[in-house]
Amino acid sequence: MKAEDSVMEEITSEKEAEESHRQDSVNLLIFILLLTLTILTIWLFKHRRFRFLHETGLAMLYGLIVGVILRYGIPVTTSVQQKTPLNCSLQSKPITSLLVNVNGKLFEYTLKEEISPKRIQNVEQNDMLRKVTFDADVFFNILLPPIIFHAGYCLKKRHFFRNLGSVLTYAFLGTAVSCFVIGNLMYGVVRLMKMIGQLADNFYYTDCLFFGAIISATDPVTVLAIFNELGVDVDIYALLFGESVINDAVAIVLSSSIVAYQPSAENSQTFDAAAFFKSVGMFLGIFSGSFAMGAATGVVTALVTKFTKLHCFPLLETALFFLMSWSTFLLAEACEFTGVVAVLFCGITQAHYTYNNLSAESRKRTKQLFEVLHFLAENFIFSYMGLALFTFESHIFNPVFIIGAFIAIILGRAANIYPLSFFLNLGRKQKIGWNFQHMLMFAGLRGAVAFALAIRDTATYAHQMMFSTTLLIVFLTVCIFGVATTPMLSWLHIRVGVDPDLDPASSSENFQVLQTDVSSSEGRSRTKQESAWLFRLWYSFDHNYLKPILTHSGPPLTSTLPSCCRPIARCLTSPQAYDNQEQLQEDDSDLILNDNDLTLTYGDTEITANGASGSHTSTAGFTGKRTHSGSEGQLDGDLDAPDHEYISRGTRLVFPLEDHVGMQ
Amino acid sequence: MKAEDSVMEEITSEKEAEESHRQDSVNLLIFILLLTLTILTIWLFKHRRFRFLHETGLAMLYGLIVGVILRYGIPVTTSVQQKTPLNCSLQSKPITSLLVNVNGKLFEYTLKEEISPKRIQNVEQNDMLRKVTFDADVFFNILLPPIIFHAGYCLKKRHFFRNLGSVLTYAFLGTAVSCFVIGNLMYGVVRLMKMIGQLADNFYYTDCLFFGAIISATDPVTVLAIFNELGVDVDIYALLFGESVINDAVAIVLSSSIVAYQPSAENSQTFDAAAFFKSVGMFLGIFSGSFAMGAATGVVTALVTKFTKLHCFPLLETALFFLMSWSTFLLAEACEFTGVVAVLFCGITQAHYTYNNLSAESRKRTKQLFEVLHFLAENFIFSYMGLALFTFESHIFNPVFIIGAFIAIILGRAANIYPLSFFLNLGRKQKIGWNFQHMLMFAGLRGAVAFALAIRDTATYAHQMMFSTTLLIVFLTVCIFGVATTPMLSWLHIRVGVDPDLDPASSSENFQVLQTDVSSSEGRSRTKQESAWLFRLWYSFDHNYLKPILTHSGPPLTSTLPSCCRPIARCLTSPQAYDNQEQLQEDDSDLILNDNDLTLTYGDTEITANGASGSHTSTAGFTGKRTHSGSEGQLDGDLDAPDHEYISRGTRLVFPLEDHVGMQ
């Protein structure tokens, strides 16, 4: 009888495990079907040239609909599992792993999360809704890294580095300003709520600051997609994209620094200088550590791909690239830095150096691999956001807080963009015009990063309210601002159709776009003078030392390093570099100016006159490039490394002049 | 004081969660570094043309070394966590989710696994080793699907379908024979062990059969890689690859059917007819259900890609393809079929139909995406196997059992290949020669599937012993047989250098290979007559109905369906099909014979004489195809769907004759 019992017991427990696995499969299936639906709809939209809704917005809408169905359409299933809390004699601290003795058999349990007493009813009530909720760490550790890496890998390098000073100012100073403005405004709102009795639990000043940090992470994915499609002015594109990418990293580290500030201040109203400086130190430490980690793995990958002939085996090369990029994340996490931030800088380094060492085949493969991963991850997050709006159990929607938050983010964004632009314009040769400033102000959408930061911790009342509000803000900004981008562009008179890698297929479609560009081509001469000192400094260091060490391009190190380092220089310089040198000699003096000229004309419509752009278009058509995001990075790379002799690299022949002069 | 305590408590619990996350990162990092090392070494091997060790063998060796270091090199860290079992008042059955009240705070714990009392010391002793052990479900649910899907997606269709009868015989009948022979032999071994007192716990007959099932899953990845590289005779390649792919599916379903047989037989020695037929029914049900599920999602994807113009957006197309293929797995798991088996048939369907509807760009992208996923997953599993040989805690290595198992798998393989080949030869026009039979016998390596099946359940003594033995068998067969493949091929006089998609780069390297082929070219006429009835039947159904419905190719349905179905036929036929018809009309009568002729000469070295193959080689070189696995699938696809007008599809021009005659 005993043995039979044990067998029966085993079967029940097995069945339950199976049931739980089946449930997981169903949940994932829901998301996959959502994404499939999104893909098909977005195809229909693109096919019909119906561009006012981005795929992320669509994914969110579909998620919302499914969330409503799950919430109200499915009868509430009460959980069959025993849920009454055990009153076990545990030490006061909860442990991560628990061994439970059930009638002589031992089972291991792992800690999932702390549950606030209020949620227990929910836990018991609706199992289906609970199940569809993913582990919050999934977003930060699995879905966010490919998105951020792809952003780094596709950063339009040239314009990014040209506007480096402005981008960094907006991203660092701007995000800090935005965080503090929003945090303080929200603290005012919270005090107001307390006065009118709308606050049910504690809401500290640090919570407000934390909210300021997470909501300062902008994610103008919709706006950037439209910019890309319309070929908006490259400088505003670089400013906006660069700011949004770096700003994510800043917001992530800022929020964790604020969390670190929290515990030491018992009375959260008094200012604790020691804790504050500890937080600032932590911010600097984590940020620079993550940066160093990301750059280091990027450099290692560049060196490995430079000194092996791995490029004969694109599969191995792609796999190595993927693994090394992933290892950045793990390495940073293992060293207690921030993996996502490290991944961003790894992506930038990989694009700037490693990319040039890859074979043509691997360049395409890595681009496409990360493009697909990014696409899937991004749409997954957005459809989850839509779903969470109805299925998340502990939403706290407070109208006062929400309205306050909307006002705060607008004021925070304004306090970021306008004063900083004013100061930047004092130093910039090419001013950031009012229309650009308004556009930057307008493009402060919130997205995946804010959501991932908000969902990480939803244990307390304050965090739940922040999560709900963040979700609403993301939802409304993506939908409203996404739709309004195209009218906004024409209203602000921002020129379109100048993207150097404008998709040839769509350029023939958008005839009016080309005309707009021709009429505004005189505006281009303005940009010519801009070679910021930061850019010049970085450029010469990068060009003379980093590129020659890490890639096959650039002048040989033997000519740039002092003569005492000659032996090292000789062994680090690749044989191809000597060939480069000869071609570089004649125009090495005014390289930067030259670079400017070429950069600003290349790919522009005017170039069609000399025939080069004509053949460019046909070549691009031939290689079948139809990916709109990141295609510039690919071209950049082709230009950067003129040493691989593949027949398929027809693009090289198109720019005989720029090949060795521009972009080294 | 109370509040401070709670804050302190929170910090400790947070710190512990952080520590656990850090540890996970370190573990994954170990594997990533292992894989990176494997990639670099395998590059060095390929670079030096050192082909006797496959990357999987290498991954395993490196895993082994790291396992030894982790086991003996790192000082044993006793776990700081409280591990003494709780004696809680639970109902007799363990539950999947547990709420624990720790000093008024509620924590949710999820069931991880049952722990045998013997393992508790281990659990307490060595935390590091324990941590490096992954959840067994990861292998079956995350790593195996891309491997199996890729196998299905790359199945060399033509030769596979030509040998369909033989492949299915080996895979179904052969695996069943092998399973029962091994199971019974092992039962003898177990009884012997009991007699000499080597058996410490129960080992039932069903356990032996289960072992027979899991160890019957062959995985000749090393042999196939060498075959691919040397361009071995296409028929033996098709037989071996086809058998190993389908055989995995059979072994997986067989093992779960045997598990289902277990509980109803209390005394495991008596034969329970009802339970037996229930198991057989279950096998058939699960297998056909999974097959149907896989084929259904494949068909849906084919229809979606046929009737939308998604091929203008390769990113969307690739993402859709990926999502639909993944949904097969989840759908099958959700319906309690076997996801891995469904994924296999989904892969085959996708390759046969959907692939033809994809744009040229997406074909490459999907191939490459799954190639990378497959490569990473396979090498991860193999390096984990190496690691597990030393780090798995409850190994039971029993010399008698191990030697018995080795003898049993050899006899089981022999009982599969030789008698079945004899019977098959009675019906086959082109006999399976003795050298082919010996090669099939020899190529019965064990790999990832056997391992994934064995690691799923390591709770009991019998399962632990089986797991350890499986690990050893995989290790030794991969290392020994992998090294011996090339000598074996020449010893058995199996001709090499005839693969139609021989990598052009390596063909110029292996000059002797080409010569071997020329001398053995008279053997080819033999194969000409073989058009098995199964092949003919399938071919005409597929050609007349399935291809026209699911793809743009084939004759229009209006001509193949009876006239009563004309309205449906008209709306299902794509406009391109009518163009196909005109070209098909003249040689439609003796299509199959014609197909045979063309298939068997195309790509062979003799064709070089008429210049077509020459241009074929150069075209392949031009399109930069350097992926060795699955490149035939790509060519097949190109031939199948002559309706997309991409400039890059130069291969079409090469086979002007075969284009519409062969392979429709």
Side-chain angles (χ1 to χ4, degrees):
Chain A
M1 203 58 204
K2 189 90 203 251
E4 204 171 78
D5 241 32
S6 123
V7 167
M8 284 306 294
E9 203 171 87
E10 217 162 73
I11 294 170
T12 353
S13 107
E14 220 162 70
K15 274 222 177 115
E16 246 169 49
E18 248 169 46
E19 180 55 34
S20 138
H21 174 68
R22 212 182 62 77
Q23 185 66 50
D24 287 346
S25 301
V26 172
N27 295 339
L28 257 179
L29 203 58
I30 289 174
F31 284 102
I32 288 185
L33 293 182
L34 266 176
L35 292 189
T36 310
L37 206 63
T38 307
I39 288 173
L40 289 178
T41 320
I42 211 68
W43 161 71
L44 211 66
F45 280 16
K46 285 196 175 180
H47 187 63
R48 303 239 177 272
R49 278 183 223 122
F50 193 73
R51 71 162 66 93
F52 70 75
L53 197 55
H54 188 59
E55 59 241 40
T56 50
L58 206 70
M60 211 145 85
L61 279 181
Y62 280 132
L64 193 78
I65 293 166
V66 172
V68 170
I69 293 170
L70 284 182
R71 179 91 191 183
Y72 302 106
I74 291 178
V76 171
T77 54
T78 47
S79 169
V80 287
Q81 295 161 7
Q82 185 207 12
K83 288 285 187 183
T84 42
L86 286 167
N87 275 302
C88 288
S89 54
L90 279 182
Q91 295 172 358
S92 67
K93 81 188 172 76
I95 53 181
T96 52
S97 174
L98 198 66
L99 284 179
V100 179
N101 187 338
V102 184
N103 288 3
K105 284 201 163 197
L106 286 172
F107 292 89
E108 187 183 6
Y109 285 81
T110 45
L111 179 63
K112 202 176 163 199
E113 53 182 342
E114 187 186 341
I115 292 183
S116 65
K118 263 175 290 173
R119 270 178 66 197
I120 294 177
Q121 300 102 293
N122 295 346
V123 171
E124 284 177 11
Q125 240 168 19
N126 201 333
D127 221 38
M128 175 70 195
L129 289 186
R130 214 178 113 67
K131 279 272 182 173
V132 95
T133 315
F134 281 82
D135 186 3
D137 283 337
V138 167
F139 297 98
F140 217 74
N141 296 332
I142 295 174
L143 295 172
L144 217 45
I147 297 178
I148 301 278
F149 181 85
H150 184 255
Y153 198 45
C154 286
L155 211 70
K156 302 216 161 191
K157 287 186 294 173
R158 192 174 359 184
H159 302 290
F160 170 68
F161 284 119
R162 182 183 310 284
N163 292 296
L164 193 61
S166 310
V167 165
L168 292 182
T169 311
Y170 285 128
F172 280 88
L173 224 59
T175 309
V177 166
S178 162
C179 166
F180 283 99
V181 168
I182 295 176
N184 285 306
L185 285 174
M186 288 322 290
Y187 191 59
V189 171
V190 166
R191 293 195 78 167
L192 178 76
M193 283 164 68
K194 207 168 202 168
M195 266 161 54
I196 59 175
Q198 293 241 341
L199 210 61
D201 207 342
N202 289 328
F203 207 122
Y204 298 109
Y205 180 64
T206 44
D207 288 331
C208 293
L209 275 185
F210 180 76
F211 182 69
I214 63 173
I215 211 70
S216 292
T218 61
D219 183 16
V221 52
T222 319
V223 175
L224 287 172
I226 292 171
F227 275 24
N228 219 325
E229 216 170 311
L230 296 182
V232 157
D233 186 289
V234 285
D235 278 303
I236 181 125
Y237 189 97
L239 279 177
L240 186 59
F241 189 46
E243 187 229 336
S244 78
V245 168
I246 311 285
N247 143 301
D248 287 345
V250 175
I252 290 167
V253 182
L254 202 57
S255 66
S256 65
S257 305
I258 288 170
V259 170
Y261 176 78
Q262 207 152 20
S264 69
E266 267 177 68
N267 182 354
S268 50
Q269 253 130 319
T270 60
F271 180 77
D272 182 342
F276 175 75
F277 283 113
K278 199 186 133 210
S279 273
V280 170
M282 210 167 151
F283 174 85
L284 294 176
I286 292 181
F287 199 92
S288 54
S290 308
F291 172 82
M293 220 113 239
T297 23
V299 163
V300 169
T301 320
L303 288 175
V304 167
T305 46
K306 182 184 175 184
F307 289 107
T308 62
K309 277 175 186 157
L310 212 57
H311 60 79
C312 304
F313 305 96
L315 174 62
L316 295 183
E317 207 175 25
T318 310
L320 183 90
F321 187 90
F322 177 80
L323 289 174
M324 291 298 290
S325 305
W326 191 16
S327 74
T328 308
F329 179 84
L330 296 171
L331 199 65
E333 291 285 315
C335 300
E336 297 186 341
F337 293 118
T338 309
V340 183
V341 177
V343 151
L344 169 66
F345 292 107
C346 177
I348 297 175
T349 320
Q350 302 281 39
H352 201 60
Y353 302 112
T354 314
Y355 190 75
N356 300 329
N357 300 335
L358 299 180
S359 64
E361 177 76 14
S362 296
R363 289 180 190 183
K364 263 214 255 162
R365 283 187 177 213
T366 50
K367 280 267 170 201
Q368 292 174 350
L369 177 67
F370 284 105
E371 199 186 356
V372 168
L373 291 181
H374 154 259
F375 179 85
L376 292 175
E378 193 171 74
N379 284 295
F380 187 91
I381 290 195
F382 276 90
S383 67
Y384 187 84
M385 276 193 242
L387 199 78
L389 209 52
F390 278 88
T391 60
F392 185 71
E393 296 152 329
S394 1
H395 270 310
I396 300 175
F397 289 110
N398 185 307
V400 181
F401 192 83
I402 292 167
I403 293 166
F406 267 99
I407 295 168
I409 62 165
I410 292 169
L411 292 178
R413 184 82 187 157
N416 167 358
I417 298 298
Y418 296 115
L420 288 183
S421 301
F422 173 77
F423 286 115
L424 283 172
N425 278 340
L426 295 180
R428 272 177 82 104
K429 283 190 188 119
Q430 186 218 342
K431 309 296 181 203
I432 299 167
W434 281 105
N435 57 346
F436 279 23
Q437 294 184 27
H438 293 319
M439 196 68 220
L440 286 173
M441 170 73 205
F442 169 81
L445 282 75
R446 268 63 177 178
V449 175
F451 171 78
L453 283 171
I455 205 178
R456 274 189 115 179
D457 182 0
T458 53
T460 66
Y461 172 80
H463 280 264
Q464 283 163 10
M465 195 187 279
M466 287 193 281
F467 174 70
S468 305
T469 309
T470 306
L471 212 53
L472 260 189
I473 289 174
V474 172
F475 197 82
L476 291 177
T477 55
V478 166
C479 286
I480 296 171
F481 292 76
V483 174
T485 304
T486 322
M488 200 71 183
L489 276 174
S490 60
W491 192 63
L492 291 173
H493 300 290
I494 290 174
R495 66 209 176 102
V496 291
V498 289
D499 190 293
D501 290 283
L502 189 65
D503 181 350
S506 73
S507 80
S508 59
E509 286 167 18
N510 307 315
F511 186 61
Q512 84 291 354
V513 168
L514 290 172
Q515 286 193 318
T516 323
D517 175 53
V518 171
S519 67
S520 71
S521 62
E522 66 271 11
R524 216 178 311 117
S525 55
R526 261 186 356 193
T527 36
K528 210 177 252 181
Q529 289 85 30
E530 204 224 350
S531 298
W533 61 271
L534 196 65
F535 175 67
R536 276 175 187 276
L537 197 76
W538 160 253
Y539 180 89
S540 67
F541 178 70
D542 181 45
H543 177 259
N544 290 332
Y545 306 108
L546 294 180
K547 283 234 167 171
I549 293 174
L550 300 174
T551 71
H552 297 293
S553 61
L557 279 169
T558 42
S559 68
T560 56
L561 279 176
S563 54
C564 59
C565 309
R566 198 146 280 224
I568 307 165
R570 203 167 287 145
C571 94
L572 282 176
T573 303
S574 74
Q576 288 95 325
Y578 296 103
D579 301 341
N580 303 340
Q581 190 180 29
E582 287 160 34
Q583 284 150 306
L584 284 167
Q585 226 117 54
E586 55 228 55
D587 37 37
D588 206 31
S589 52
D590 55 347
L591 200 69
I592 293 177
L593 191 76
N594 218 330
D595 177 38
N596 271 349
D597 280 333
L598 288 167
T599 309
L600 290 163
T601 45
Y602 122 76
D604 219 312
T605 36
E606 259 186 4
I607 220 168
T608 326
N610 64 28
S613 175
S615 63
H616 161 56
T617 308
S618 72
T619 317
F622 174 70
T623 53
K625 243 195 287 156
R626 252 181 276 100
T627 58
H628 59 84
S629 77
S631 51
E632 179 171 46
Q634 192 165 330
L635 257 180
D636 280 355
D638 282 348
L639 293 172
D640 273 8
D643 43 83
H644 293 106
E645 297 295 330
Y646 293 106
I647 312 163
S648 61
R649 294 198 37 219
T651 37
R652 261 197 72 201
L653 304 170
V654 180
F655 307 107
L657 194 68
E658 294 95 320
D659 213 340
H660 298 285
V661 182
M663 288 312 303
Q664 295 295 340
Chain B
M1 202 57 200
K2 191 88 201 259
E4 206 171 76
D5 240 29
S6 126
V7 167
M8 284 307 292
E9 205 170 87
E10 217 162 73
I11 295 170
T12 353
S13 111
E14 220 162 70
K15 274 223 174 115
E16 248 170 49
E18 248 170 45
E19 181 56 35
S20 143
H21 174 68
R22 212 183 63 79
Q23 185 66 50
D24 288 346
S25 300
V26 171
N27 295 340
L28 257 178
L29 203 57
I30 291 175
F31 283 100
I32 286 184
L33 293 182
L34 267 175
L35 291 189
T36 310
L37 206 63
T38 307
I39 287 173
L40 289 178
T41 321
I42 211 68
W43 161 72
L44 211 66
F45 280 16
K46 285 196 174 180
H47 187 63
R48 303 238 176 273
R49 286 193 213 112
F50 193 72
R51 75 162 63 94
F52 71 77
L53 197 56
H54 188 62
E55 59 241 38
T56 52
L58 204 72
M60 212 144 86
L61 279 180
Y62 280 131
L64 195 77
I65 294 167
V66 172
V68 170
I69 294 170
L70 284 183
R71 178 91 192 181
Y72 302 109
I74 291 178
V76 172
T77 53
T78 48
S79 167
V80 286
Q81 295 159 6
Q82 185 204 12
K83 287 287 187 184
T84 42
L86 287 168
N87 275 302
C88 288
S89 55
L90 277 183
Q91 297 171 354
S92 66
K93 78 188 176 73
I95 51 178
T96 50
S97 176
L98 198 68
L99 283 180
V100 179
N101 185 337
V102 184
N103 287 3
K105 283 203 168 197
L106 286 173
F107 291 90
E108 186 183 8
Y109 285 81
T110 45
L111 179 63
K112 200 176 164 198
E113 53 183 343
E114 187 185 340
I115 292 182
S116 64
K118 262 175 292 174
R119 272 176 66 195
I120 293 177
Q121 300 102 294
N122 296 344
V123 170
E124 284 178 10
Q125 238 168 20
N126 201 333
D127 220 39
M128 176 73 192
L129 289 187
R130 215 176 113 68
K131 280 269 183 178
V132 95
T133 316
F134 280 82
D135 186 2
D137 283 336
V138 167
F139 297 98
F140 218 75
N141 295 333
I142 295 172
L143 295 172
L144 217 45
I147 298 179
I148 301 277
F149 182 85
H150 183 254
Y153 199 45
C154 288
L155 211 69
K156 302 214 161 193
K157 287 185 293 170
R158 192 171 0 186
H159 302 290
F160 170 68
F161 283 119
R162 183 182 311 287
N163 292 295
L164 191 62
S166 310
V167 165
L168 292 182
T169 311
Y170 285 129
F172 279 88
L173 225 60
T175 308
V177 166
S178 163
C179 167
F180 284 99
V181 168
I182 295 175
N184 285 306
L185 286 174
M186 290 321 292
Y187 192 57
V189 170
V190 166
R191 295 195 75 169
L192 179 76
M193 284 165 67
K194 206 168 204 169
M195 269 162 53
I196 59 174
Q198 293 239 340
L199 208 59
D201 206 339
N202 289 329
F203 208 121
Y204 299 109
Y205 180 64
T206 44
D207 288 332
C208 294
L209 276 185
F210 181 76
F211 182 67
I214 64 172
I215 211 71
S216 291
T218 61
D219 184 15
V221 52
T222 320
V223 174
L224 286 172
I226 292 171
F227 276 23
N228 218 325
E229 214 169 313
L230 295 181
V232 157
D233 186 288
V234 285
D235 279 303
I236 180 124
Y237 189 96
L239 279 177
L240 186 60
F241 189 46
E243 187 229 338
S244 78
V245 168
I246 311 284
N247 144 303
D248 287 345
V250 175
I252 290 166
V253 182
L254 203 57
S255 65
S256 65
S257 306
I258 289 169
V259 169
Y261 176 77
Q262 209 155 18
S264 70
E266 267 177 64
N267 182 354
S268 51
Q269 252 129 320
T270 59
F271 178 77
D272 183 343
F276 175 75
F277 283 112
K278 198 187 134 208
S279 274
V280 170
M282 207 166 155
F283 174 84
L284 294 176
I286 291 181
F287 198 92
S288 51
S290 308
F291 173 83
M293 219 111 237
T297 20
V299 163
V300 169
T301 319
L303 287 174
V304 167
T305 46
K306 184 185 173 187
F307 289 107
T308 62
K309 277 177 187 156
L310 212 57
H311 60 78
C312 304
F313 306 97
L315 173 62
L316 295 183
E317 206 176 26
T318 310
L320 183 90
F321 187 90
F322 178 81
L323 289 175
M324 291 299 289
S325 305
W326 191 16
S327 73
T328 308
F329 179 84
L330 296 171
L331 199 64
E333 292 284 315
C335 299
E336 297 187 341
F337 294 118
T338 310
V340 183
V341 177
V343 151
L344 169 65
F345 292 107
C346 177
I348 297 175
T349 318
Q350 302 279 39
H352 202 59
Y353 303 111
T354 314
Y355 190 75
N356 300 328
N357 300 336
L358 299 180
S359 65
E361 177 75 14
S362 296
R363 290 180 188 184
K364 265 214 275 183
R365 283 186 175 212
T366 51
K367 281 265 169 204
Q368 292 174 350
L369 177 66
F370 284 105
E371 200 185 357
V372 168
L373 292 180
H374 155 259
F375 178 85
L376 292 175
E378 193 171 73
N379 284 297
F380 186 91
I381 290 194
F382 276 90
S383 68
Y384 188 84
M385 278 193 242
L387 198 80
L389 208 52
F390 278 88
T391 58
F392 184 71
E393 296 150 332
S394 4
H395 269 309
I396 300 176
F397 288 110
N398 184 306
V400 181
F401 192 83
I402 291 166
I403 294 165
F406 266 99
I407 296 168
I409 62 163
I410 293 168
L411 293 178
R413 184 82 185 156
N416 167 358
I417 298 297
Y418 296 115
L420 288 184
S421 302
F422 174 75
F423 286 114
L424 282 172
N425 278 341
L426 296 180
R428 274 176 81 104
K429 283 191 186 118
Q430 185 219 344
K431 309 296 182 202
I432 299 167
W434 280 106
N435 57 346
F436 279 22
Q437 295 184 26
H438 293 318
M439 196 65 220
L440 285 175
M441 169 75 204
F442 168 83
L445 284 76
R446 268 65 176 177
V449 176
F451 171 79
L453 284 171
I455 206 178
R456 274 188 115 180
D457 181 2
T458 54
T460 69
Y461 172 80
H463 280 264
Q464 284 164 9
M465 195 188 278
M466 288 192 285
F467 174 69
S468 305
T469 310
T470 306
L471 213 52
L472 260 190
I473 289 174
V474 172
F475 197 81
L476 291 177
T477 55
V478 166
C479 286
I480 297 171
F481 291 78
V483 173
T485 304
T486 322
M488 200 71 182
L489 275 175
S490 61
W491 193 61
L492 290 173
H493 300 292
I494 289 174
R495 70 210 174 99
V496 290
V498 288
D499 190 296
D501 290 286
L502 190 65
D503 181 353
S506 72
S507 80
S508 58
E509 287 166 18
N510 308 314
F511 187 61
Q512 85 290 354
V513 168
L514 289 173
Q515 286 193 318
T516 326
D517 173 54
V518 171
S519 67
S520 71
S521 63
E522 66 270 12
R524 219 177 311 117
S525 55
R526 260 187 354 188
T527 37
K528 211 178 258 181
Q529 289 86 32
E530 206 226 348
S531 299
W533 61 272
L534 197 65
F535 175 66
R536 274 174 188 277
L537 197 74
W538 159 252
Y539 179 88
S540 67
F541 178 68
D542 182 43
H543 177 260
N544 288 331
Y545 306 109
L546 293 180
K547 284 233 167 167
I549 292 173
L550 301 174
T551 71
H552 297 293
S553 61
L557 280 168
T558 41
S559 68
T560 56
L561 279 177
S563 55
C564 59
C565 310
R566 199 146 277 226
I568 307 164
R570 203 167 287 144
C571 96
L572 283 174
T573 304
S574 72
Q576 287 98 328
Y578 296 103
D579 301 341
N580 304 339
Q581 190 182 27
E582 287 160 36
Q583 285 148 307
L584 285 166
Q585 225 118 53
E586 55 229 55
D587 37 37
D588 208 29
S589 54
D590 56 347
L591 199 71
I592 291 177
L593 192 77
N594 216 332
D595 176 38
N596 272 349
D597 279 332
L598 288 168
T599 309
L600 290 163
T601 44
Y602 122 76
D604 221 313
T605 36
E606 258 185 4
I607 220 168
T608 327
N610 64 27
S613 173
S615 65
H616 161 57
T617 308
S618 72
T619 316
F622 174 68
T623 54
K625 243 196 288 162
R626 249 181 277 99
T627 59
H628 59 84
S629 76
S631 50
E632 180 173 40
Q634 193 166 327
L635 258 180
D636 281 355
D638 284 345
L639 293 172
D640 274 9
D643 43 83
H644 293 106
E645 297 296 332
Y646 291 109
I647 312 164
S648 61
R649 293 196 41 218
T651 37
R652 262 197 73 199
L653 303 171
V654 180
F655 308 107
L657 196 67
E658 293 97 319
D659 213 341
H660 299 284
V661 183
M663 289 311 304
Q664 295 296 341

